[in-house]
Amino acid sequence: MANYSVGIFSHSSVSVPVKDKKLLEVKLGELPSWILMRDFSPSGIFGAFQRGYYRYYNKYINVKKGSISGITMVLACYVLFSYSFSYKHLKHERLRKYH
Amino acid sequence: METAQNSVPARSGSELRNAGQSWGQLGDATQVEGRVQNFHLARLVSGHLAPALTDFPIGVTGTLRLRPGLSLTMLSRVVLSAAATAAPSLKNAAFLGPGVLQATRTFHTGQPHLAPVPPLPEYGGKVRYGLIPEEFFQFLYPKTGVTGPYVLGTGLILYALSKEIYVISAETFTALSVLGVMVYGIKKYGPFVADFADKLNEQKLAQLEEAKQASIQHIQNAIDMEKSQQALVQKRHYLFDVQRNNIAMALEVTYRERLYRVYKEVKNRLDYHISVQNMMRRKEQEHMINWVEKHVVQSISTQQEKETIAKCIADLKLLAKKAQAQPVM
């Protein structure tokens, strides 16, 4: 990664720059700047997908005694995803008009 | 500063000077400038590395005041400048260019952070009901306690149903039946499949372990053989003793053979001399006898011969008479 901070040459202050923070550690006020700083190039997006994939893979699948939940979570997300895509057509099969 | 940071190869001394000056903004313009002409021959080196070849480390480490985003190349530059101070001849040998660079760069200085490779974790992340990770429950626990996520789930489901975000249709019953079958199947045959997969894993591990053990055994055998051969070295002296004895015996035998041959030869020579002497004596004897006989025979005249013959006849007659007389008795 670019701008890898070498220990003996780091700044005297202790804080980490905004760019390197994880999403859960970013304060709400910094959120827009954090989003803008992310790498939105094709390789950056691909890298983000890759990282996400490997995070999930190494946590739930690449273990000695993996359980079915590694797969069912993916299937559940797929179900929800495809439901949201077909909601437009399903809207017409509602049982009541007013909710 | 950006031009110095990017690896644009310097093509002229003026560009180097510019690069040097851009670095000089950080503190040491005059010194860097003064040394640029030393590197007229170092054009091969890319612009941002040329100042590092000066043997003036403060010019580079003075950039401690830089922003924290320092690149790793800076570290190598410090190393290079430190090496240049240690060997001042490097400054004059700058025309070697990249060769010098490769000689002074240090590789593999960091700790290897994946050796040995960490083992696979035993279990994956915990998931409740096969759908929701445990972290979500832990996330809500401080604020809502144990029932929080369940209440949230129930509320969401009811909201989706009542507002018909989820529409109940024929598909719902299909989905419910499929879900039921899946849950039943997983509950009933899950452990069986898990055991089967574990057995496969174990087989793989056993194979690898066997290979490892075989390799270890093989190497152990090699070590033992090596040790035994080393022990044999201590017994070499037997071999040498036997050889020495054999050689001594062979020497003795040859010595005796030759001695015997010498004796035979000498005896032969002496026998020859003896036989020569004997022969000479015999020949002399015979010669003498022949000579004496010849002379004696010559000396006997004819008259003497007649007399002797007459005497012999007379003697014989006498003897005959004597002999005649005696046998009658």
Side-chain angles (χ1 to χ4, degrees):
Chain A
M1 282 214 294
N3 284 0
Y4 177 82
S5 47
V6 180
I8 46 173
F9 288 108
S10 61
H11 227 289
S12 57
S13 72
V14 191
S15 66
V16 186
V18 176
K19 189 167 177 185
D20 291 339
K21 279 196 202 171
K22 294 194 196 173
L23 177 57
L24 288 174
E25 294 163 13
V26 170
K27 305 262 186 298
L28 215 61
E30 294 172 343
L31 199 59
S33 60
W34 184 90
I35 289 180
L36 286 174
M37 277 200 197
R38 297 303 291 173
D39 186 10
F40 284 115
S41 66
S43 68
I45 291 180
F46 180 68
F49 273 117
Q50 239 186 359
R51 281 199 304 274
Y53 171 79
Y54 278 118
R55 251 184 78 191
Y56 185 82
Y57 182 76
N58 285 332
K59 183 154 185 208
Y60 292 107
I61 302 185
N62 200 15
V63 294
K64 272 193 218 162
K65 293 206 191 336
S67 72
I68 198 80
S69 59
I71 310 169
T72 55
M73 277 201 282
V74 177
L75 287 178
C77 285
Y78 171 70
V79 163
L80 289 172
F81 193 62
S82 60
Y83 185 84
S84 61
F85 267 140
S86 40
Y87 186 65
K88 221 169 164 211
H89 303 285
L90 285 170
K91 251 195 323 199
H92 304 298
E93 294 178 21
R94 286 189 189 173
L95 296 170
R96 295 280 184 275
K97 193 168 158 189
Y98 299 106
H99 299 102
Chain B
M1 209 182 293
E2 283 310 309
T3 53
Q5 199 79 333
N6 302 334
S7 59
V8 173
R11 295 204 199 276
S12 67
S14 62
E15 274 193 22
L16 273 176
R17 203 172 299 121
N18 287 340
Q21 261 188 342
S22 64
W23 276 111
Q25 279 168 15
L26 307 167
D28 291 298
T30 48
Q31 271 115 350
V32 170
E33 232 179 326
R35 277 166 173 69
V36 161
Q37 51 258 32
N38 272 349
F39 306 108
H40 183 69
L41 290 166
R43 282 183 195 180
L44 301 167
V45 180
S46 52
H48 71 286
L49 282 173
L53 285 176
T54 69
D55 80 60
F56 204 78
I58 301 178
V60 178
T61 57
T63 58
L64 270 172
R65 290 169 277 133
L66 257 194
R67 63 187 189 334
L70 226 54
S71 57
L72 267 174
T73 49
M74 295 282 263
L75 192 60
S76 66
R77 265 175 245 153
V78 170
V79 168
L80 284 169
S81 61
T85 45
S89 61
L90 269 179
K91 189 171 75 167
N92 299 328
F95 64 86
L96 286 174
V100 168
L101 227 56
Q102 304 306 323
T104 53
R105 185 173 302 185
T106 46
F107 295 109
H108 295 302
T109 43
Q111 289 294 97
H113 56 86
L114 268 185
V117 173
L120 275 184
E122 189 76 20
Y123 294 101
K126 284 177 81 51
V127 176
R128 236 188 252 208
Y129 298 113
L131 284 177
I132 303 159
E134 192 68 30
E135 283 86 5
F136 183 68
F137 291 83
Q138 297 305 322
F139 179 65
L140 290 182
Y141 180 76
K143 294 286 190 247
T144 61
V146 182
T147 52
Y150 294 108
V151 170
L152 177 65
T154 315
L156 276 176
I157 291 173
L158 287 177
Y159 169 69
L161 280 174
S162 81
K163 283 282 188 197
E164 290 223 284
I165 295 176
Y166 177 71
V167 180
I168 297 190
S169 63
E171 301 283 321
T172 316
F173 299 99
T174 320
L176 282 174
S177 341
V178 166
L179 265 176
V181 167
M182 269 174 62
V183 166
Y184 171 76
I186 288 171
K187 280 266 182 314
K188 185 127 193 253
Y189 298 109
F192 174 75
V193 171
D195 285 339
F196 180 69
D198 283 344
K199 222 168 23 183
L200 285 179
N201 262 356
E202 258 170 58
Q203 276 176 357
K204 272 192 229 171
L205 280 177
Q207 263 182 345
L208 292 172
E209 185 74 27
E210 199 184 302
K212 181 176 107 171
Q213 287 303 325
S215 169
I216 288 178
Q217 196 60 39
H218 182 70
I219 291 175
Q220 191 65 37
N221 288 348
I223 288 175
D224 288 340
M225 180 138 80
E226 188 67 32
K227 281 231 164 67
S228 71
Q229 292 200 333
Q230 279 178 354
L232 278 181
V233 164
Q234 302 305 322
K235 312 209 176 93
R236 271 190 314 189
H237 66 278
Y238 287 128
L239 199 67
F240 297 151
D241 281 347
V242 166
Q243 280 182 339
R244 238 178 278 135
N245 285 346
N246 285 351
I247 288 170
M249 237 186 318
L251 280 173
E252 186 77 24
V253 164
T254 357
Y255 171 69
R256 285 193 191 181
E257 266 181 13
R258 290 192 188 153
L259 204 63
Y260 178 66
R261 229 173 68 189
V262 160
Y263 160 76
K264 252 179 50 175
E265 287 292 312
V266 164
K267 185 150 176 295
N268 210 14
R269 302 275 154 80
L270 290 175
D271 282 345
Y272 168 73
H273 283 301
I274 290 173
S275 58
V276 159
Q277 275 181 359
N278 285 349
M279 188 201 64
M280 287 297 285
R281 248 176 101 214
R282 211 179 50 231
K283 280 288 184 233
E284 282 172 3
Q285 255 182 344
E286 284 177 2
H287 184 257
M288 239 187 330
I289 291 171
N290 287 343
W291 192 79
V292 162
E293 274 186 8
K294 200 169 81 175
H295 276 274
V296 163
V297 166
Q298 272 178 352
S299 74
I300 300 176
S301 62
T302 42
Q303 204 248 334
Q304 245 180 338
E305 209 177 328
K306 273 186 195 161
E307 276 181 15
T308 38
I309 289 178
K311 193 157 188 286
C312 285
I313 292 174
D315 278 334
L316 273 169
K317 278 184 183 165
L318 248 157
L319 273 171
K321 272 184 197 164
K322 254 197 201 167
Q324 260 180 351
Q326 278 188 346
V328 171
M329 284 164 73

